[in-house]
Amino acid sequence: MEKRRLGRTDVEVSALCLGTMTYGEQNTEAEAHAQLDCAVDFGINFIDTAEMYPVPPRETTYGTTERHIGSWLKNTGRRTDVVIATKVIGRSDNPYIRGGGARLDRKNIEQALHASLQRLQTDYIDLYQLHWPDRNTNYFGQLGYRHDANDEAIPLLETLHVLQDAVQAGKIRHIGLSNETPWGVMRCIMHAEQARLPRVVSIQNPYSLINRSFEIGLAEVALREDVGLLAYSPLGFGVLTGKYLNGQRPAKGRLTLFDRFKRYTNPQGEQATAAYVALAQAHGLDPAQLALAFVTQQPFVTSTIIGASTMQQLQTNLNSISLSLSPALLAEIDNIHTAHPNPCP
């Protein structure tokens, strides 16, 4: 498994990262442990989770994913074999998370970090990420930015000072962002340089054949500032496998079970997906592996986050690492992208 440097640190992570947000919802604890065993034995050393997982979030399952990973770490003793990334939620009024009114301030971050450490059964977290910004901005499918002059967000500088204290205490090693914008990334870098605060090492945003919006403003930032992308939803919640085409709804598919992800099933997205699936088949390739290889091959990507609800899906996704797309095939992909630009942001 290829390893890549995490930001400007000395940490090297696998080019594929095991995503875990199905653990506790679509996957049992035993299935989660089996996936972790399989992925780590394959060569993956990077595991991504979050305090709010599994998704979709519910009070009865909140934190379960971290608990499943924690029990695996305890049972196997493989803590030093893996790089653990988790996330603290951004602004939220969800009543079952710290009583509602969660913010990226000292009180909330310290409580969230303590709870994540307990659930993961570890003394430190390798990469602690802000799951989404505290301020109102464009993320989770919103492309256009709508400014709110009255927004009273926790300043990024304040948040970074809290994270600095956690780094100095040895509770986290490095910090990252998620669902962030170019302004947010550059602001964090500016604060780090001016106030000697921890420098962000990564950004976890969506990126796939049907959502290449990261390329517009963030790719240059990622490359010039060494804040590599941890690409989530590289299969568009499974859409790019082709299993939802022509109205198909497989019984255990995520989009069949949960209707909150409709942005991946719009008509323009289906047209683009059909074109990418046809392209893969014309070249004798698995559509999922084509989609994953495209993401992993991008120069601004540090790691592609793969998730699966079955071992068969996991094996398919893992084996995408051996696929290298030729310049001619990449040109064909770009032709489809030109005809169907970013249909599922």
Side-chain angles (χ1 to χ4, degrees):
M1 174 68 68
E2 177 191 356
K3 299 294 194 302
R4 298 175 179 177
R5 190 179 177 192
L6 184 63
R8 295 179 180 175
T9 75
D10 59 358
V11 177
E12 290 199 340
V13 296
S14 47
L16 296 180
C17 171
L18 182 63
T20 62
M21 74 178 195
T22 59
Y23 298 179
E25 182 66 56
Q26 291 171 268
N27 290 109
T28 65
E29 185 172 21
E31 290 170 339
H33 288 189
Q35 285 197 16
L36 287 158
D37 286 337
C38 176
V40 174
D41 288 344
F42 190 87
I44 282 184
N45 76 335
F46 198 15
I47 299 167
D48 179 72
T49 186
E51 65 163 314
M52 68 171 285
Y53 288 173
V55 170
R58 294 186 291 124
E59 182 175 5
T60 54
T61 59
Y62 166 73
T64 300
T65 301
E66 287 186 329
R67 282 189 285 270
H68 287 354
I69 295 169
S71 60
W72 178 81
L73 290 172
K74 181 181 179 181
N75 292 346
T76 63
R78 303 189 74 167
R79 178 64 185 92
T80 58
D81 294 337
V82 292
V83 176
I84 299 291
T86 192
K87 312 179 197 74
V88 54
I89 66 168
R91 186 194 306 194
S92 172
D93 58 2
N94 202 316
Y96 62 81
I97 302 180
R98 292 182 287 284
R103 305 296 300 272
L104 291 177
D105 56 14
R106 180 169 297 277
K107 176 183 175 181
N108 276 279
I109 292 174
E110 289 181 346
Q111 288 182 8
L113 176 57
H114 177 73
S116 286
L117 288 168
Q118 286 192 319
R119 288 189 292 263
L120 289 165
Q121 301 191 54
T122 185
D123 296 327
Y124 66 96
I125 290 164
D126 298 286
L127 177 62
Y128 200 54
Q129 303 158 103
L130 308 179
H131 206 155
W132 60 86
D134 193 272
R135 69 190 188 280
N136 289 318
T137 188
N138 47 319
Y139 53 84
F140 291 144
Q142 179 185 327
L143 283 180
Y145 172 66
R146 300 178 182 88
H147 188 62
D148 180 0
N150 298 315
D151 182 27
E152 297 182 355
I154 302 297
L156 277 167
L157 181 60
E158 179 179 336
T159 299
L160 291 172
H161 274 292
V162 181
L163 296 174
Q164 179 187 44
D165 290 345
V167 170
Q168 292 176 340
K171 295 180 180 179
I172 60 177
R173 296 178 66 193
H174 304 289
I175 65 171
L177 303 171
S178 184
N179 298 296
E180 191 48 277
T181 68
W183 182 89
V185 179
M186 292 306 301
R187 194 76 173 177
C188 285
I189 291 171
M190 179 196 75
H191 287 319
E193 292 175 346
Q194 293 182 350
R196 298 181 181 273
L197 293 166
R199 196 178 196 279
V200 294
V201 301
S202 61
I203 175 172
Q204 184 175 148
N205 275 32
Y207 184 72
S208 70
L209 288 172
I210 50 178
N211 180 4
R212 294 171 60 174
S213 57
F214 188 90
E215 297 174 8
I216 297 169
L218 278 163
E220 182 180 12
V221 174
L223 288 165
R224 292 188 184 278
E225 299 295 340
D226 299 313
V227 183
L229 173 62
L230 309 181
Y232 79 76
S233 293
L235 293 178
F237 274 57
V239 164
L240 286 164
T241 66
K243 65 184 179 182
Y244 297 108
L245 287 175
N246 303 313
Q248 297 181 87
R249 290 296 180 268
K252 295 184 179 181
R254 191 176 303 166
L255 299 185
T256 305
L257 296 172
F258 313 115
D259 61 4
R260 61 182 280 139
F261 306 112
K262 291 179 179 178
R263 70 179 184 268
Y264 293 106
T265 57
N266 58 53
Q268 57 269 33
E270 178 143 338
Q271 292 173 12
T273 298
Y276 289 121
V277 170
L279 177 64
Q281 293 171 341
H283 287 267
L285 300 174
D286 180 278
Q289 292 183 346
L290 170 74
L292 291 172
F294 170 79
V295 173
T296 307
Q297 219 165 304
Q298 298 303 315
F300 49 80
V301 170
T302 296
S303 192
T304 301
I305 301 174
I306 59 170
S309 56
T310 70
M311 289 298 290
Q312 181 179 0
Q313 291 172 351
L314 180 59
Q315 288 286 356
T316 297
N317 294 347
L318 288 170
N319 288 327
S320 71
I321 197 65
S322 62
L323 178 61
S324 178
L325 306 183
S326 69
L329 184 50
L330 289 171
E332 292 187 74
I333 287 173
D334 280 342
N335 288 338
I336 296 174
H337 176 63
T338 300
H340 306 281
N342 299 322
C344 302

